[in-house]
Amino acid sequence: MKNIAIVAICDFLSNPNGGEVFLLNNLLSEEIDAPVKYFLIGMTFDETVQVGTWQKVTIGNNIYDFFPIVKVLKDKEKTRIPFRLRCVQGLKKYWKKINSEIQIDEWYIHSAELGIPFYKKKDIPIVYHVHGDPSQTMAISRFPLFRTKLWTNLYLRIIRRTIYRSRKIIWAAERSKNLYLQKQPKMQKIVESKSCVVHSSFDTKLRIDNELSLNLNSERKHLITVGRLSRVKHIDFLIDVLYRLLEKNEDVDLIVCGDGEEKDFLKQYANKLGIGDKVIFLGAIDRPTLATALNQSELFLFASENEAMSLVILESLYMGTPVVSTDVGDIPYAVKEGYTGKLVDSYNIEAYVAAVIEMLNLGKAVYANNCKTMAMNFTPKKMAENVARELLL
């Protein structure tokens, strides 16, 4: 049996909301036939939990030992110290205690900076799981200071050193690796020698609530997008798309699911365009509401500029809802032209609007079965088995 410490900037359950915590929750929910035992090291958002001591957490039907190295009680938007810095500090503080209490065979980290405490510990094996293009991490930070050239260059150095320090690199998307190497061509040889790709998965427990009412206009066709309301997701672009569709007399609205620092701006922007009543902000919703909203929508729209394999796109396909998306990350593995949706290069609004109209004219029913079939290629069990295999190699 190989003891693996999974170190991540999350609580492995639900916080902070995003792709990383969903990936890990899906991974840990599955029962797999592999000689690995996972120990979880991360954050707690529960004021009753004591930092620096082992806890028991249940994920799916599995029970894990969880060691919180940081406690956060403030909302992510209100904290002045980034979660990333807190976790690095906490890992440095508690590393000796963790190592003395549990015989860890390998450290499986989910952010480049979590490799810092191991730079001088050359005999300790680590595996680095990369979510998206790591060179873009600072560029999309919500902290303006971190988006400066100084911090961006510093983070690139951290990425390089963590890559050199790792025995293996697991990428959530092939294209994320390629984008990183385009910007860092000198890393080509070392990255290729250590890399593998394991695509993320969607939540197969996602279920529709047939008794839930979303109070939507039943005569309109509903477009939907899901994600953090941040600059990188380009929800403003999708509002522009909606505006053009309405100009072309398409009877549609746009459901926006999620929360974030751009929320107020986006509401004001929709109102400024005179379409505030056609943009429905549902906020941060629970899973049954998400499933129901996806199911009741005609089309899922996506416009992120930095993505690995989008979980919400996979969830949309699972609900039988086709997708129009920017061509980013490994989304082309799931969104196939004429089968499950359409891809649009960059932010060409005319091409995006044309793609949406074409899909609306054909109708959701044409794609629904294809979407559900495609989604089953990205189940949590498949991902969990692939990750375990790579950790054991």
Side-chain angles (χ1 to χ4, degrees):
M1 183 67 67
K2 192 172 186 179
N3 291 339
I4 308 289
I6 304 182
V7 191
I9 304 169
C10 67
D11 65 358
F12 300 93
L13 296 170
S14 58
N15 290 308
N17 187 31
E20 181 174 317
V21 71
F22 279 121
L23 181 154
L24 288 164
N25 193 275
N26 283 348
L27 171 73
L28 296 165
S29 294
E30 293 300 313
E31 296 181 14
I32 57 172
D33 184 18
V36 296
K37 183 176 182 180
Y38 294 129
F39 295 85
L40 315 183
I41 300 169
M43 310 177 70
T44 180
F45 294 77
D46 186 341
E47 62 181 5
T48 66
V49 172
Q50 184 178 348
V51 171
T53 61
W54 290 99
Q55 321 282 324
K56 295 291 184 182
V57 296
T58 301
I59 302 178
N61 294 321
N62 302 324
I63 299 175
Y64 294 98
D65 291 302
F66 169 54
F67 192 101
I69 53 176
V70 174
K71 180 185 291 187
V72 177
L73 300 180
K74 288 185 177 182
D75 180 83
K76 183 177 181 181
E77 307 309 320
K78 296 178 181 177
T79 184
R80 295 183 179 180
I81 303 176
F83 288 175
R84 295 172 178 275
L85 294 183
R86 292 188 183 198
C87 281
V88 172
Q89 183 181 30
L91 186 57
K92 283 185 172 183
K93 180 178 180 179
Y94 291 111
W95 181 85
K96 286 185 178 179
K97 182 177 182 181
I98 295 169
N99 206 46
S100 66
E101 295 176 349
I102 301 290
Q103 178 56 52
I104 301 296
D105 298 309
E106 188 148 69
W107 296 74
Y108 175 32
I109 64 172
H110 285 259
S111 293
E113 56 270 42
L114 294 175
I116 294 173
F118 301 97
Y119 287 169
K120 295 183 179 180
K121 300 175 177 65
K122 303 296 185 182
D123 58 332
I124 298 174
I126 65 173
V127 171
Y128 172 29
H129 194 131
V130 188
H131 303 262
D133 176 4
S135 63
Q136 288 295 302
T137 301
M138 291 295 103
I140 62 175
S141 172
R142 69 183 186 85
F143 294 93
L145 176 64
F146 289 166
R147 298 198 293 267
T148 62
K149 186 175 181 179
L150 175 65
W151 280 97
T152 298
N153 289 339
L154 174 61
Y155 197 71
L156 287 173
R157 291 175 60 188
I158 291 172
I159 295 168
R160 286 197 296 270
R161 192 159 180 186
T162 297
I163 287 174
Y164 275 108
R165 178 64 184 80
S166 303
R167 77 163 185 87
K168 177 169 288 190
I169 309 157
I170 300 176
W171 297 82
E174 182 74 30
R175 190 176 293 191
S176 297
K177 181 189 75 173
N178 294 338
L179 286 173
Y180 172 71
L181 290 176
Q182 285 175 14
K183 298 164 189 167
Q184 303 293 318
K186 292 182 180 179
M187 296 295 292
Q188 178 89 29
K189 185 175 181 180
I190 188 69
V191 166
E192 294 290 2
S193 69
K194 296 183 176 185
S195 290
C196 66
V197 175
V198 176
H199 285 131
S200 302
S201 65
F202 68 95
D203 180 10
T204 52
K205 300 186 292 296
L206 200 61
R207 295 290 182 271
I208 299 164
D209 184 347
N210 290 316
E211 297 183 359
L212 179 68
S213 174
L214 298 177
N215 297 317
L216 302 176
N217 186 322
S218 60
E219 296 182 359
R220 290 180 191 156
K221 290 182 178 179
H222 310 301
L223 311 176
I224 187 170
T225 191
V226 181
R228 178 166 182 76
L229 305 188
S230 61
R231 293 180 307 121
V232 71
K233 299 299 183 181
H234 289 281
I235 308 297
D236 56 338
F237 173 78
L238 296 181
I239 292 174
D240 285 336
V241 168
L242 176 67
Y243 181 78
R244 297 288 185 93
L245 290 167
L246 294 170
E247 279 189 325
K248 295 177 182 292
N249 297 316
E250 296 287 339
D251 191 11
V252 293
D253 55 27
L254 176 64
I255 303 170
V256 179
C257 304
D259 205 348
E261 63 272 15
E262 292 277 290
K263 180 176 66 175
D264 291 341
F265 162 75
L266 293 169
K267 287 184 175 181
Q268 292 168 7
Y269 186 59
N271 288 331
K272 181 180 178 181
L273 292 176
I275 58 172
D277 61 325
K278 300 291 189 359
V279 184
I280 304 159
F281 291 89
L282 293 186
I285 56 179
D286 60 23
R287 305 300 285 163
T289 304
L290 172 62
T292 305
L294 288 170
N295 178 257
Q296 292 184 11
S297 297
E298 189 76 10
L299 196 58
F300 185 93
L301 306 186
F302 201 66
S304 179
E305 69 181 56
N306 183 35
E307 208 72 30
M309 173 59 78
S310 168
L311 302 188
V312 290
I313 281 182
L314 298 178
E315 289 169 344
S316 179
L317 297 178
Y318 187 53
M319 291 294 107
T321 302
V323 175
V324 173
S325 173
T326 45
D327 187 357
V328 63
D330 276 15
I331 289 172
Y333 281 83
V335 180
K336 301 288 187 181
E337 180 80 23
Y339 188 73
T340 57
K342 293 184 76 68
L343 295 172
V344 179
D345 288 333
S346 189
Y347 294 95
N348 183 329
I349 193 165
E350 296 301 331
Y352 203 106
V353 169
V356 171
I357 291 174
E358 180 182 338
M359 297 284 290
L360 289 174
N361 288 339
L362 287 171
K364 177 178 179 176
V366 172
Y367 297 92
N369 288 335
N370 296 342
C371 292
K372 294 175 183 179
T373 299
M374 176 62 76
M376 297 313 294
N377 293 314
F378 302 92
T379 63
K381 190 169 184 64
K382 287 185 178 181
M383 179 185 68
E385 290 173 343
N386 289 335
V387 166
R389 184 190 67 242
E390 296 298 337
L391 292 173
L392 289 168
L393 288 177

mmCIF file of all heavy atoms in Angstrom, residues 20 29 48 97-98 219 241 254 299 309 386:
data_model
loop_
_atom_site.group_PDB
_atom_site.id
_atom_site.type_symbol
_atom_site.label_atom_id
_atom_site.label_comp_id
_atom_site.label_asym_id
_atom_site.label_seq_id
_atom_site.Cartn_x
_atom_site.Cartn_y
_atom_site.Cartn_z
ATOM 1 N N GLU A 20 -10.910 23.046 -9.177
ATOM 2 C CA GLU A 20 -9.971 22.210 -8.437
ATOM 3 C C GLU A 20 -10.668 21.399 -7.354
ATOM 4 O O GLU A 20 -10.442 20.197 -7.213
ATOM 5 C CB GLU A 20 -8.880 23.079 -7.806
ATOM 6 C CG GLU A 20 -7.830 22.281 -7.041
ATOM 7 C CD GLU A 20 -6.691 23.165 -6.557
ATOM 8 O OE1 GLU A 20 -6.236 24.023 -7.325
ATOM 9 O OE2 GLU A 20 -6.267 22.971 -5.408
ATOM 10 N N SER A 29 -14.315 10.650 -4.213
ATOM 11 C CA SER A 29 -15.617 10.012 -4.013
ATOM 12 C C SER A 29 -15.637 8.574 -4.523
ATOM 13 O O SER A 29 -16.489 7.781 -4.128
ATOM 14 C CB SER A 29 -16.721 10.806 -4.727
ATOM 15 O OG SER A 29 -16.888 12.071 -4.142
ATOM 16 N N THR A 48 -15.329 25.323 13.803
ATOM 17 C CA THR A 48 -15.228 24.341 14.889
ATOM 18 C C THR A 48 -14.045 23.399 14.717
ATOM 19 O O THR A 48 -13.703 22.654 15.640
ATOM 20 C CB THR A 48 -16.517 23.502 14.985
ATOM 21 O OG1 THR A 48 -16.649 22.689 13.804
ATOM 22 C CG2 THR A 48 -17.732 24.389 15.134
ATOM 23 N N LYS A 97 5.362 17.863 11.538
ATOM 24 C CA LYS A 97 4.379 17.151 12.349
ATOM 25 C C LYS A 97 3.662 16.092 11.511
ATOM 26 O O LYS A 97 3.488 14.947 11.954
ATOM 27 C CB LYS A 97 3.368 18.134 12.932
ATOM 28 C CG LYS A 97 2.339 17.461 13.820
ATOM 29 C CD LYS A 97 1.384 18.458 14.455
ATOM 30 C CE LYS A 97 0.403 17.719 15.373
ATOM 31 N NZ LYS A 97 -0.574 18.644 15.990
ATOM 32 N N ILE A 98 3.247 16.476 10.317
ATOM 33 C CA ILE A 98 2.560 15.523 9.435
ATOM 34 C C ILE A 98 3.457 14.331 9.147
ATOM 35 O O ILE A 98 3.053 13.176 9.256
ATOM 36 C CB ILE A 98 2.153 16.214 8.115
ATOM 37 C CG1 ILE A 98 1.114 17.299 8.383
ATOM 38 C CG2 ILE A 98 1.614 15.194 7.113
ATOM 39 C CD1 ILE A 98 0.854 18.207 7.199
ATOM 40 N N GLU A 219 -41.916 30.811 -22.757
ATOM 41 C CA GLU A 219 -42.017 31.008 -24.198
ATOM 42 C C GLU A 219 -40.661 31.297 -24.845
ATOM 43 O O GLU A 219 -40.544 31.258 -26.072
ATOM 44 C CB GLU A 219 -42.989 32.153 -24.493
ATOM 45 C CG GLU A 219 -44.425 31.853 -24.037
ATOM 46 C CD GLU A 219 -45.379 32.975 -24.379
ATOM 47 O OE1 GLU A 219 -44.912 33.992 -24.954
ATOM 48 O OE2 GLU A 219 -46.572 32.841 -24.075
ATOM 49 N N VAL A 241 -23.079 38.790 -26.898
ATOM 50 C CA VAL A 241 -23.670 37.791 -27.798
ATOM 51 C C VAL A 241 -25.194 37.821 -27.681
ATOM 52 O O VAL A 241 -25.909 37.818 -28.692
ATOM 53 C CB VAL A 241 -23.124 36.376 -27.479
ATOM 54 C CG1 VAL A 241 -23.939 35.305 -28.207
ATOM 55 C CG2 VAL A 241 -21.653 36.267 -27.861
ATOM 56 N N LEU A 254 -30.486 34.835 -21.185
ATOM 57 C CA LEU A 254 -29.227 34.238 -20.741
ATOM 58 C C LEU A 254 -29.277 34.031 -19.234
ATOM 59 O O LEU A 254 -29.434 34.991 -18.471
ATOM 60 C CB LEU A 254 -28.037 35.134 -21.097
ATOM 61 C CG LEU A 254 -26.656 34.671 -20.598
ATOM 62 C CD1 LEU A 254 -26.270 33.347 -21.248
ATOM 63 C CD2 LEU A 254 -25.593 35.730 -20.868
ATOM 64 N N LEU A 299 -29.188 25.667 -24.757
ATOM 65 C CA LEU A 299 -27.793 25.703 -25.187
ATOM 66 C C LEU A 299 -26.911 26.248 -24.071
ATOM 67 O O LEU A 299 -27.313 27.170 -23.358
ATOM 68 C CB LEU A 299 -27.690 26.604 -26.417
ATOM 69 C CG LEU A 299 -26.453 26.544 -27.307
ATOM 70 C CD1 LEU A 299 -26.233 25.142 -27.850
ATOM 71 C CD2 LEU A 299 -26.601 27.539 -28.458
ATOM 72 N N MET A 309 -10.032 21.124 -18.820
ATOM 73 C CA MET A 309 -11.239 20.474 -19.333
ATOM 74 C C MET A 309 -12.377 20.968 -18.461
ATOM 75 O O MET A 309 -12.458 20.637 -17.278
ATOM 76 C CB MET A 309 -11.114 18.957 -19.263
ATOM 77 C CG MET A 309 -12.393 18.218 -19.620
ATOM 78 S SD MET A 309 -13.009 18.576 -21.287
ATOM 79 C CE MET A 309 -11.915 17.556 -22.252
ATOM 80 N N ASN A 386 -7.186 6.477 -13.464
ATOM 81 C CA ASN A 386 -6.032 6.987 -14.212
ATOM 82 C C ASN A 386 -5.036 7.696 -13.307
ATOM 83 O O ASN A 386 -3.812 7.541 -13.461
ATOM 84 C CB ASN A 386 -6.502 7.926 -15.322
ATOM 85 C CG ASN A 386 -7.198 7.202 -16.440
ATOM 86 O OD1 ASN A 386 -6.972 6.015 -16.664
ATOM 87 N ND2 ASN A 386 -8.075 7.901 -17.153
#
